[in-house]
Amino acid sequence: MKFYVTTPIYYVNDAPHIGHAYTTILADVLSRYHRTVGDNVFFLTGLDEHGQKVKQAAEKRGMTPQAHCDDLAPRFTNLWTKLDIRYDDFVRTTQERHTKIVQACLQKVYDSGDIYADEYEGWYSVAEERFITDTEYESGQFRDVKKLKEKNYFFKMSKYQEQLINHIQANPGFIQPEHRKNEILGFLRQPLGDLCISRPKSRMDWGIEIPFDRDYVTYVWFDALINYISIPGYLSDDTKFKTWWPADVHLIGKDILTTHCVYWTTMLFALGLPQPKTIFAHGWWLLGDSKMSKSLGNVVNPLDLIEQYGVDGVRYFLMREMVLGQDANFTTDSFIKSFNSDLANDYGNLLNRVSGLIAKNHGGVVPNPGTATDAEKDIEQKANALPAQIKELIAQYKVQEAVVAVIEFVRVLNKYVEVQAPWKLAKTDLPAAERVLYTAAEGLRMATIMLAPVMPYKTAVVLDVLGAKETKPVWGQIKPGTVLQSHPPLFPRIDVEKK
Ligand code: MSP
């Protein structure tokens, strides 16, 4: 099986915050999961580098737009390295491998008659550098407004309205979650207009030149969306393209739902290409009541969090906290609570108990499982059911539920150890103590494999301690006699008093 996953390509001007980090970690978790079950994965992310804002920002710094982009791009790539993101390719829309395919797509759609030139007359705000609507004009809130008549190129989006509605209705998993699908179907109840896809160079020249009219560049979305096909080889490498397209999932935030579900899908129809299997829109990370965004100045910098709490804690929290499709609120309080409860008290503590007791009472060597009683059979059965349960949840993009399911299992294991009290059994019934510790270690190993896509670093430490690096998620893989490695506490509790 193959799995092709994309994130939005982020505007190069923005400093990445946890909203951007969230989508990218989510894509990474899904990719890692699919790799562990043996799928062939292609994970694409990157940067959106054209447009007015980039041009202005570069001018302010006295740089060329390209030099400005080159200077800013490492802010993203460095963060992805720190967050342990393993993408397979990183696109920058100024790369020739992308620009030439955008031009080829424009030519193709133009030749088939779906792009036409038209004069557009409307109110143009010089300050905003865009056409404003009549309502906006009447609001009187815009300065330097003039009537402007301008030739532009339009994409016949309206032509594909029926086809799009039919596609959405015939493919229930196409737009997820369900309420986003309904939002798009509601939007499509109104007649769909055509999409202006050009800007005259005289007004804005930082973009990809339109091949059939050198006085124009293409509008950012027609440029940016094409990255999803230009990078896996559309019109340049047939074998590669056939391997990956259609994408299995475009992960996006709900802010860019229409551009993906309407602009992109109709562009694909015009190019005669199959649709992605799923477009999944997650909610927003909020700080207080508003969306975290640079313009509001209410962003949480992921680098600060990583520095304070470690990369695995950050990845865990973001995946554990946001129910996919809904908004989530970021507070330091909830971060610390989830860290201390799930990671320090439950997961970290289970490792401490297992390795500590085995070191103290069993010479640091994994004991024999002996003969299972009902209690062990119950744990074994729960552990063996876990991989299928996680598979099902991941297939439905229920990552939060999947993480919770594993942590619940860790709690079951802790409870089992408490009830069995192997530290007491060691004095009265050694084989029973051995049985309990073997079972707890093996359960911990299974849970760890299931958590590995979320916390690649710490789970590797645990598997190392257990001498179980290359093992599979089926019961009974730890070999009795394995010498356990010593380790520092996995997730030391965050001391709230000190914060
Ligand atoms: N460049 C366009 C996307 C082009 S895709 C072909 C763009 N870039 S962006 O830098 O604004 O990034 C938008 C994406 O960042 C969102 O769709 C979402 O994935 C992520 N997030 C940015 N802020 C966010 C939150 N506060 N919360 C969650 N995710 C958000 O739009």
Side-chain angles (χ1 to χ4, degrees):
M1 293 278 279
K2 67 95 181 164
F3 182 71
Y4 172 26
V5 54
T6 67
T7 72
I9 47 173
Y10 305 107
Y11 290 128
V12 70
N13 261 358
D14 282 349
H17 57 69
I18 63 162
H20 307 111
Y22 175 73
T23 320
T24 317
I25 295 170
L26 181 61
D28 189 59
V29 168
L30 293 174
S31 298
R32 283 174 188 267
Y33 176 80
H34 280 272
R35 280 190 206 111
T36 58
V37 297
D39 290 345
N40 203 5
V41 172
F42 187 55
F43 164 15
L44 175 64
T45 186
L47 295 174
D48 194 351
E49 302 194 331
H50 289 122
Q52 187 71 38
K53 282 192 188 147
V54 174
K55 193 181 163 170
Q56 281 171 341
E59 272 163 8
K60 258 195 204 150
R61 298 173 75 199
M63 292 170 110
T64 64
Q66 187 65 64
H68 169 75
C69 292
D70 294 347
D71 188 51
L72 293 187
R75 287 208 291 204
F76 285 85
T77 47
N78 290 342
L79 175 63
W80 301 154
T81 307
K82 287 225 163 81
L83 279 170
D84 241 337
I85 305 293
R86 274 214 211 138
Y87 48 77
D88 294 292
D89 206 334
F90 189 87
V91 58
R92 296 180 53 190
T93 51
T94 48
Q95 290 164 338
E96 203 206 340
R97 61 177 180 151
H98 172 72
T99 57
K100 68 176 189 212
I101 303 304
V102 171
Q103 290 183 320
C105 289
L106 283 163
Q107 190 68 55
K108 200 170 167 176
V109 181
Y110 183 67
D111 291 344
S112 68
D114 279 351
I115 289 178
Y116 62 92
D118 200 7
E119 289 279 339
Y120 180 78
E121 186 168 17
W123 296 108
Y124 185 77
S125 154
V126 181
E128 292 266 317
E129 304 207 47
R130 69 173 175 96
F131 282 98
I132 56 171
T133 61
D134 286 345
T135 329
E136 282 177 323
Y137 174 70
E138 280 151 22
S139 75
Q141 285 173 357
F142 291 82
R143 291 173 293 117
D144 292 341
V145 179
K146 60 181 181 189
K147 200 102 207 191
L148 193 75
K149 202 168 177 185
E150 189 175 271
K151 179 183 119 179
N152 265 308
Y153 289 91
F154 291 81
F155 164 52
K156 280 190 192 163
M157 196 156 72
S158 56
K159 181 174 152 186
Y160 297 100
Q161 179 161 10
E162 273 316 301
Q163 196 176 343
L164 177 56
I165 295 173
N166 292 340
H167 185 84
I168 297 172
Q169 278 165 346
N171 296 277
F174 180 48
I175 301 174
Q176 292 188 48
E178 186 78 7
H179 61 278
R180 298 288 166 221
K181 171 180 121 180
N182 295 335
E183 196 178 314
I184 290 295
L185 284 173
F187 177 79
L188 290 170
R189 260 181 234 124
Q190 304 296 322
L192 196 56
D194 288 343
L195 183 68
C196 176
I197 57 155
S198 70
R199 296 287 181 267
K201 278 188 185 168
S202 54
R203 180 147 75 75
M204 216 296 288
D205 66 352
W206 182 238
I208 301 175
E209 193 174 85
I210 293 197
F212 42 84
D213 191 337
R214 313 244 131 180
D215 291 334
Y216 285 79
V217 293
T218 191
Y219 167 59
V220 284
W221 281 100
F222 208 94
D223 162 353
L225 288 161
I226 287 176
N227 91 87
Y228 299 140
I229 52 175
S230 65
I231 302 309
Y234 182 54
L235 300 178
S236 70
D237 183 341
D238 263 6
T239 320
K240 188 173 178 188
F241 190 60
K242 282 207 187 94
T243 307
W244 300 115
W245 192 259
D248 291 79
V249 62
H250 291 316
L251 297 173
I252 57 168
K254 64 180 182 181
D255 46 332
I256 51 177
L257 187 72
T258 314
T259 47
H260 280 76
C261 298
V262 182
Y263 298 7
W264 178 227
T265 50
T266 52
M267 283 164 67
L268 287 168
F269 282 137
L271 289 165
L273 289 174
Q275 295 295 333
K277 287 186 202 137
T278 296
I279 299 174
F280 195 108
H282 62 72
W284 282 343
W285 280 96
L286 310 173
L287 203 69
D289 287 332
S290 33
K291 180 190 178 206
M292 201 177 283
S293 82
K294 197 177 92 176
S295 46
L296 292 174
N298 62 344
V299 296
V300 174
N301 184 344
L303 288 173
D304 297 343
L305 281 183
I306 297 171
E307 198 150 294
Q308 270 187 295
Y309 308 111
V311 55
D312 286 55
V314 175
R315 290 174 61 111
Y316 179 84
F317 175 73
L318 294 181
M319 293 302 106
R320 160 77 171 88
E321 193 70 9
M322 181 176 266
V323 176
L324 255 99
Q326 294 173 23
D327 291 345
N329 220 304
F330 186 92
T331 65
T332 311
D333 226 33
S334 53
F335 183 94
I336 293 177
K337 261 197 198 125
S338 119
F339 186 101
N340 280 347
S341 139
D342 296 358
L343 298 181
N345 285 1
D346 295 333
Y347 184 57
N349 190 31
L350 180 63
L351 173 68
N352 271 351
R353 280 171 152 179
V354 166
S355 66
L357 287 170
I358 289 180
K360 193 169 163 218
N361 298 333
H362 307 271
V365 167
V366 175
N368 277 310
T371 313
T373 70
D374 283 352
E376 284 77 38
K377 282 184 193 149
D378 180 50
I379 299 283
E380 177 177 340
Q381 184 259 326
K382 286 196 168 89
N384 275 335
L386 206 55
Q389 191 188 350
I390 302 300
K391 187 174 183 188
E392 184 58 31
L393 290 168
I394 295 283
Q396 297 170 36
Y397 300 104
K398 294 186 173 163
V399 175
Q400 189 261 359
E401 284 93 326
V403 173
V404 171
V406 186
I407 284 295
E408 289 293 335
F409 176 62
V410 167
R411 286 196 190 116
V412 168
L413 290 170
N414 272 322
K415 187 91 202 167
Y416 162 78
V417 174
E418 262 154 47
V419 171
Q420 301 290 328
W423 51 91
K424 282 191 201 153
L425 290 173
K427 292 176 197 141
T428 56
D429 184 352
L430 198 60
E434 293 184 346
R435 185 176 70 221
V436 172
L437 284 172
Y438 181 88
T439 304
E442 185 56 8
L444 171 63
R445 185 190 66 83
M446 292 279 281
T448 301
I449 293 178
M450 294 289 108
L451 287 173
V454 179
M455 299 189 287
Y457 176 69
K458 293 286 186 177
T459 53
V461 171
V462 177
L463 291 178
D464 238 10
V465 170
L466 298 175
K469 251 181 165 171
E470 302 292 326
T471 55
K472 299 213 155 41
V474 274
W475 190 260
Q477 301 238 316
I478 293 194
K479 288 200 179 59
T482 306
V483 180
L484 294 194
Q485 305 299 315
S486 61
H487 61 91
L490 200 60
F491 290 105
R493 274 184 71 83
I494 301 168
D495 190 343
V496 191
E497 295 298 301
K498 282 195 199 148
K499 291 284 145 201

